Amino acid sequence: MTLLEFSAVVFAGSVTAGLLGSLTGLGGGIVVIPLLTLGFGVDIRYAAGAALVSVIATSSGAASSYVKEGYSNLRIGMFLEVATTSGAVAGALLAADLPESAISLLFGVVLLLSSALSLREPARGDDGAASDPIARRLRLDGTYPSPEGRIAYHVHGTKTAFGLMFVAGSLSGLLGIGSGAVKVLALDRAMGLPFKVSTTTSNFMIGVTAAASAGIYLARGYIDPGLAMPVMLGVLVGALVGARLLARVESRSLRVLFAAVIALLGLQMIHGGISGSPP
Amino acid sequence: MATGSRWTDEQVEQIIGNLLRAGLIVATLVVVIGGAITLSRHGAQTPDYRIFHGEPAALRGVVGILHESEAGRGRGIVQLGLLLLLATPVLRVAFSVVAFVRQRDGLYVSITLIVLATLLYSIAGRH
């Protein structure tokens, strides 16, 4: 396959991955990596480098509109970015010392878990519990817009969320993904944030987390321009289209189908990791 | 909060939103230009990503990438676009430092500086 053909096929595949990532809420990075490794035989390090770049692009694109709507909580985002960025640096540094098979295996497990998480019903949001002392000291409580004016919410479980965010960051650095699923888990389950606040704040944080890994990926030669170009552009286009379709894809059966596709990719990655051969 | 030169949270959110959008648009344009040059010159070559070799040193750091893109090389220009893309969230954090300073919020100035330092370590450190 020539570079021109390769770029065209990878671009088309990345549009699909971006679409699927956007519709499941998992992000394009986590879908495009199995596509590149299983579909095109790309080494997982090149795949992770290209995916990470696409993660930054989609996060910036989505966050630029979310932030203006006033849903995301910038204080929570910044405080937890201390955990995600340090986790990301640790993960990215560690990635170089792990064999390709171990990374495939871990990736497969994360895909399976993410697939299950994507089927969860959204948390019911603010459960009325009082803010914890750390959240009060850090002034994490906030408000979000609604037709009846801004509604206030309280924040708790700050310590747990901080720990989960370190894990999310490490996975992001190890695997080249945005770890949106773990971030949303920390924000809406541990901290009890309203659904729209947790998804937008998570998206807002993903770009900074990915940038913390990307610097190291770049220095280690994981980011190849020939591969990153079609992947970044494709995932971005897919994510933008997905964001427009999102309102229309509420059907449960479609979500189950998407989750099944993701789980299948996860099993393939685990198989590739165990059999030891490049998948 | 909206007294004198202090920014309100809403103003900060507007500026950050615009910053992210502008960064993404500029980076995407540069990547597209670099990609077009690469494909027009090397489109007939056969890529191989099966075995990891790592990028050449010139495409791994800021100085090398600036050099390569100045020379008009397509791959260097794509990499410059990716560098701009990577710089966007870093700029966002740097801007947040300024915003928290203007809000006289010492605690969040410190928190944001930790995040900024981590990012700069990742991008500028030797790995």
Side-chain angles (χ1 to χ4, degrees):
Chain A
M1 207 174 352
T2 68
L3 184 62
L4 194 61
E5 291 160 351
F6 180 81
S7 303
V9 182
V10 168
F11 175 80
S14 302
V15 172
T16 316
L19 201 58
L20 192 59
S22 161
L23 295 178
T24 51
L26 294 175
I30 200 167
V31 188
V32 86
I33 292 175
L35 174 90
L36 292 173
T37 58
L38 301 169
F40 296 97
V42 173
D43 182 281
I44 198 160
R45 282 159 287 194
Y46 283 133
L52 199 61
V53 162
S54 74
V55 165
I56 302 178
T58 44
S59 167
S60 291
S64 66
S65 42
Y66 286 155
V67 172
K68 290 187 177 180
E69 289 169 18
Y71 283 101
S72 34
N73 185 319
L74 300 188
R75 282 201 175 76
I76 293 183
M78 194 56 74
F79 170 63
L80 294 177
E81 274 163 13
V82 172
T84 60
T85 52
S86 45
V89 166
L93 289 174
L94 187 63
D97 301 324
L98 289 178
E100 194 180 341
S101 58
I103 294 189
S104 280
L105 198 66
L106 180 63
F107 198 103
V109 172
V110 170
L111 270 176
L112 283 182
L113 291 176
S114 301
S115 150
L117 284 175
S118 78
L119 284 179
R120 247 174 4 125
E121 291 307 315
R124 62 230 168 287
D126 192 358
D127 43 17
S131 315
D132 68 37
I134 305 175
R136 276 204 300 278
R137 256 208 89 183
L138 293 168
R139 303 188 309 282
L140 297 182
D141 287 355
T143 60
Y144 66 94
S146 82
E148 297 87 39
R150 297 194 72 92
I151 297 177
Y153 55 87
H154 296 293
V155 175
H156 50 80
T158 309
K159 257 191 240 168
T160 314
F162 196 84
L164 277 171
M165 285 296 178
F166 185 83
V167 174
S170 310
L171 289 176
S172 174
L174 270 172
L175 305 175
I177 60 178
S179 297
V182 183
K183 286 194 175 79
V184 171
L185 191 70
L187 295 171
D188 74 13
R189 288 294 142 124
M191 290 187 132
L193 297 186
F195 180 65
K196 192 109 199 233
V197 176
S198 70
T199 47
T200 54
T201 305
S202 151
N203 195 294
F204 185 61
M205 296 174 63
I206 284 173
V208 171
T209 312
S213 318
I216 293 168
Y217 276 29
L218 185 71
R220 298 223 159 143
Y222 288 20
I223 298 179
D224 179 88
L227 185 66
M229 188 258 300
V231 169
M232 173 210 153
L233 298 176
V235 171
L236 188 60
V237 168
L240 292 175
V241 174
R244 301 204 169 211
L245 289 179
L246 201 55
R248 277 175 265 165
V249 188
E250 289 298 317
S251 100
R252 176 88 188 155
S253 51
L254 214 49
R255 287 180 56 187
V256 172
L257 176 71
F258 291 153
V261 172
I262 307 273
L264 208 63
L265 292 175
L267 290 175
Q268 292 249 24
M269 293 293 281
I270 291 175
H271 176 72
I274 291 174
S275 65
S277 61
Chain B
M1 283 263 282
T3 51
S5 65
R6 291 195 191 190
W7 290 337
T8 63
D9 283 3
E10 287 70 29
Q11 285 171 308
V12 172
E13 283 162 2
Q14 291 295 323
I15 300 173
I16 288 179
N18 290 332
L19 186 85
L20 290 174
R21 182 161 298 160
L24 178 62
I25 291 171
V26 173
T28 307
L29 284 177
V30 175
V31 168
V32 168
I33 293 168
I37 294 174
T38 309
L39 289 178
S40 69
R41 288 188 192 156
H42 308 289
Q45 290 173 3
T46 310
D48 187 11
Y49 295 110
R50 281 173 192 280
I51 295 161
F52 181 76
H53 304 290
E55 293 307 298
L59 294 175
R60 289 185 184 205
V62 178
V63 179
I65 291 170
L66 287 176
H67 213 260
E68 287 291 297
S69 49
E70 227 173 6
R73 294 196 181 94
R75 286 168 61 84
I77 296 174
V78 171
Q79 212 74 334
L80 178 69
L82 300 180
L83 208 54
L84 290 170
L85 184 71
L86 210 159
T88 304
V90 182
L91 265 179
R92 192 269 268 180
V93 173
F95 169 76
S96 303
V97 176
V98 178
F100 285 125
V101 167
R102 291 191 68 155
Q103 293 187 341
R104 319 259 156 97
D105 191 338
L107 176 62
Y108 274 88
V109 171
S110 320
I111 289 173
T112 311
L113 281 175
I114 297 174
V115 176
L116 188 61
T118 312
L119 286 170
L120 293 179
Y121 165 75
S122 166
I123 292 163
R126 297 192 163 271
H127 306 294

